[in-house]
Amino acid sequence: LLTSIQGFDSFSLGPNSSQEEITRAFQTQSLIWHPDKNPGDAQALRIYQRMNRAYNTLRNPATRAAHVNVAIETTKSVCSSVA
């Protein structure tokens, strides 16, 4: 599983984003960061790999639900430690 916010943050989206929005964001970002478009660029490769992990997590309903639950719990934990 990704870190609590990494999945949606990879695409500047939130937990209420539709599957279509997630797919569109992945496709748009893939055009920029795909390794074939950036040969030899290690940073582009890392970004693309992170995006791919995020997309695979968010497009599957079961892993997406687990990811959202972890994000909610992490947010609650951070907020209660600040208060």
Side-chain angles (χ1 to χ4, degrees):
L1 208 56
L2 302 166
T3 61
S4 59
I5 59 171
Q6 192 176 31
F8 292 109
D9 279 357
S10 294
F11 306 114
S12 299
L13 298 172
N16 295 324
S17 299
S18 70
Q19 186 60 48
E20 292 79 24
E21 291 171 311
I22 293 167
T23 299
R24 192 173 328 116
F26 175 72
Q27 290 171 343
T28 301
Q29 292 297 310
S30 289
L31 292 173
I32 298 167
W33 299 108
H34 196 281
D36 289 347
K37 300 226 180 231
N38 299 284
D41 186 339
Q43 179 182 6
L45 177 61
R46 282 191 304 276
I47 291 169
Y48 182 78
Q49 288 171 335
R50 184 186 71 187
M51 286 178 11
N52 203 30
R53 282 192 311 272
Y55 180 64
N56 286 325
T57 297
L58 298 177
R59 72 182 183 153
N60 178 309
T63 57
R64 179 179 176 165
H67 179 73
V68 169
N69 289 337
V70 169
I72 290 169
E73 290 305 315
T74 301
T75 302
K76 287 179 184 176
S77 174
V78 168
C79 290
S80 66
S81 69
V82 172

